[in-house]
Amino acid sequence: MMDRVRAVALGNSPADILLKNGRVVDVLTETIYEADVAIAEGMIAGVGSYDKAEKIIDLKGAYVAPGLINAHCHVESSMAVPEHYCAEELRWGVTTLITDPHEIANVAGAVGIHYMLEAGGQMPLNYYVNLPSCVPATRFEHSGCVMDARDMIKLVNEPGVLGMGEI
C-alpha cells in the first residue's frame, strides 16, 4: 500500500482521486496557495502539480483545509443521538471529536459509556471518549449510578478511549 502511495506522490502512478485547482490552507505556514491534491489508498499522497488520476474533481478555486478537532464536548448534552450530533459536527468541518460522556455515565454507568463508544465507532469521523472523572459529579447527587476508579479501569483499554475527562 505505501509503495503505491509513494508512486503517486512521485507522479509515477495515477492517483485514485485528484483534487485539481484548489486553494490549500496550510495551517503550519499560515499561507494559502493554489495546488492539486493527489489521493491514493485513502491517504493524501501529495500536494503540488498532478495530472493523472482515475477520478479528477475540479475544485474551481475552492479551499482545501485540514479537518477541525473538537477536543472537548458532551455529545449527550445536546439531547441528540451520536449519529445526529456527529453529522452536524461534520457539516462544520470537524473530523475528529473527543467526548466526555459523564452525563450518560451518571445515569447508565458503563453501559452508557459502551453505548457512546459503539455508536461513535460507526461515525464517518474520528470519534474518541475521555472517561468521566467522577460519577456522579458530586457526593450530593443521586443520578442513578456511582462509578469509582475500579469501574473506570475496566474501560481504559476499550478501543476509542483516550484517557480521563474533566478533573
Side-chain angles (χ1 to χ4, degrees), residues 9-107:
L10 293 170
N12 297 332
S13 182
D16 298 333
I17 301 171
L18 182 58
L19 305 177
K20 293 285 291 175
N21 306 312
R23 285 189 251 172
V24 175
V25 178
D26 187 329
V27 296
L28 293 176
T29 63
E30 298 180 356
T31 59
I32 299 172
Y33 56 91
E34 292 182 13
D36 303 326
V37 179
I39 300 170
E41 304 291 332
M43 294 186 282
I44 295 174
V47 177
S49 181
Y50 294 90
D51 293 313
K52 301 177 283 184
E54 293 177 29
K55 180 178 182 180
I56 296 175
I57 300 171
D58 186 354
L59 296 180
K60 299 176 183 170
Y63 292 94
V64 179
L68 302 173
I69 299 171
N70 183 342
H72 182 88
C73 65
H74 300 278
V75 172
E76 74 278 19
S77 296
S78 71
M79 303 298 283
V81 294
E83 297 89 316
H84 294 293
Y85 186 92
C86 292
E88 190 62 22
E89 290 274 21
L90 277 169
R91 207 168 74 80
W92 292 96
V94 173
T95 59
T96 298
L97 181 131
I98 304 169
T99 183
D100 175 351
H102 72 83
E103 290 173 347
I104 198 167
N106 283 338
V107 175

Side-chain angles (χ1 to χ4, degrees), residues 140-152:
F140 308 110
E141 291 185 40
H142 304 288
S143 57
C145 187
V146 175
M147 295 181 76
D148 61 18
R150 289 180 299 264
D151 299 312
M152 292 299 173

Side-chain angles (χ1 to χ4, degrees), residues 101-119 129 131-132 135 144-156 158 161:
H102 72 83
E103 290 173 347
I104 198 167
N106 283 338
V107 175
V111 171
I113 295 171
H114 279 290
Y115 163 73
M116 297 301 284
L117 283 165
E118 185 176 322
V129 165
L131 297 173
V135 176
C145 187
V146 175
M147 295 181 76
D148 61 18
R150 289 180 299 264
D151 299 312
M152 292 299 173
I153 200 74
K154 296 173 187 171
L155 299 166
V156 168
E158 291 287 331
V161 171

